Amino acid sequence: MAADGFFRIALGVEYKGSRYRGWQRQASGVLTVQETLENALSKVADSPVSLHCAGRTDAGVHACGQVVHFDTQVERSMKAWVMGANINLPHDVSVSWAKVMPAHFHARFKAIARRYRYVIYNDQIRPAHLNEEITWNHRPLDVERMAEAAQYLVGVHDFSAFRAGQCQAKSPIKELHHLRVTRHGKMIVLDIRASAFLHHMVRNIAGVLMTIGAGERPVEWIKEVLESRIRRSGGVTAHPFGLYLVQVEYRDEFELPQRYIGPHFLTGFSELDG
């Protein structure tokens, strides 16, 4: 129980962010994932529902491992929360699981790590499929150069050079656990896991790595960008289309349900597991 007479419910959520102005509820008339999901859950609860999420995604960014929670006095089965929400949601948002949580659980503050994947379609010809779910780069990209450069960012660093100007994080110092760059046919996947992320951090890293992969800068340039701690030294911010929040990790005590690490069209590539 979250408080006297209240249940704390956690949900697993996935969504295609293309037509939303990000996760966070905004002014009236602005379409967001949070408001869309809250409206659906409020119909199931027959009362207002207010959500807290593990990580606020930007406009156009997707999720297949978002975790949220809410408090309610309404008793429903976990199946009712999942199926009831999905009946009332549009085609591009889906609830995958629900679980009653202890009062001290918090989707954001109890998370110990977050993982993103950035998917690049690397070909001269613009793809007709998944065009809002991957980032197209027409220049031939050298994955080995990108993978080598990525290792300069692993560890604890000041990531100010990869931080958006409007970032509200208290500190730019983050621990990056891994940054893997792999090719799968025409697709290149950046798989990045960290304790937490700064605003636009993954997209700015992707922009630098694609510049290096295209041969426009040497591998060591990423180290210069990192050490400069100046955002403008790192070039352009990559498009949001290929970015997915794929996993949020919590301590074992919470026993949250585990699903595949997405997006779904990558689940056949076993080398991405782990």
Side-chain angles (χ1 to χ4, degrees):
M1 302 288 283
D4 237 7
F6 281 85
F7 299 96
R8 177 154 294 183
I9 309 295
L11 303 176
V13 184
E14 54 186 54
Y15 48 85
K16 177 182 176 181
S18 306
R19 69 188 186 100
Y20 297 93
R21 293 296 299 168
W23 163 266
Q24 189 171 11
R25 178 187 284 271
Q26 299 181 34
S28 178
V30 177
L31 187 63
T32 66
V33 180
Q34 180 180 7
E35 183 174 7
T36 300
L37 184 54
E38 285 177 345
N39 289 344
L41 290 167
S42 296
K43 291 178 181 178
V44 181
D46 199 26
S47 60
V49 167
S50 179
L51 293 171
H52 301 269
C53 75
R56 293 178 293 185
T57 51
D58 291 335
V61 175
H62 317 295
C64 37
Q66 178 70 278
V67 177
V68 306
H69 85 262
F70 63 96
D71 293 337
T72 181
Q73 291 180 296
V74 175
E75 286 196 57
R76 298 281 188 271
S77 70
M78 295 304 100
K79 182 178 180 180
W81 285 120
V82 173
M83 302 305 292
N86 286 338
I87 288 172
N88 290 288
L89 283 168
H91 67 280
D92 48 9
V93 184
S94 180
V95 174
S96 52
W97 55 262
K99 188 175 189 292
V100 179
M101 301 303 296
H104 66 285
F105 175 81
H106 193 286
R108 178 184 174 190
F109 298 121
K110 290 298 183 179
I112 58 174
R114 295 163 178 84
R115 185 172 177 179
Y116 285 85
R117 282 176 173 171
Y118 192 84
V119 186
I120 304 160
Y121 184 81
N122 189 210
D123 191 70
Q124 288 185 331
I125 306 301
R126 173 178 54 84
H129 305 289
L130 300 176
N131 61 350
E132 292 182 323
E133 296 173 70
I134 55 177
T135 288
W136 172 48
N137 194 314
H138 69 279
R139 304 169 298 179
L141 299 178
D142 187 326
V143 170
E144 291 184 3
R145 284 170 54 87
M146 294 170 69
E148 183 182 353
Q151 298 318 299
Y152 283 105
L153 302 184
V154 175
V156 179
H157 301 287
D158 182 329
F159 283 95
S160 293
F162 298 93
R163 177 183 191 175
Q166 63 269 43
C167 181
Q168 298 177 355
K170 293 180 179 179
S171 171
I173 299 175
K174 303 296 176 187
E175 181 179 7
L176 202 156
H177 301 138
H178 75 234
L179 176 47
R180 304 167 185 153
V181 185
T182 54
R183 179 182 284 278
H184 311 273
K186 297 290 186 182
M187 288 188 291
I188 296 171
V189 179
L190 313 184
D191 188 313
I192 180 169
R193 177 179 179 270
S195 55
F197 289 87
L198 303 169
H199 193 199
H200 286 177
M201 180 173 161
V202 178
R203 290 168 59 190
N204 289 331
I205 289 173
V208 168
L209 289 177
M210 283 189 281
T211 300
I212 291 170
E216 297 177 6
R217 293 279 192 165
V219 168
E220 294 75 19
W221 177 58
I222 198 168
K223 185 172 183 287
E224 296 174 16
V225 172
L226 177 68
E227 293 177 347
S228 75
R229 300 181 183 178
I230 300 172
R231 171 65 202 108
R232 64 177 179 272
S233 67
V236 300
T237 300
H239 291 298
F241 308 129
L243 182 57
Y244 293 80
L245 173 60
V246 298
Q247 187 180 35
V248 184
E249 297 177 45
Y250 298 89
R251 299 197 185 281
D252 292 342
E253 63 174 295
F254 295 120
E255 298 182 333
L256 292 183
Q258 298 297 314
R259 296 187 83 226
Y260 63 82
I261 298 176
H264 64 86
F265 56 85
L266 295 180
T267 54
F269 301 119
S270 59
E271 60 269 38
L272 281 171
D273 295 340

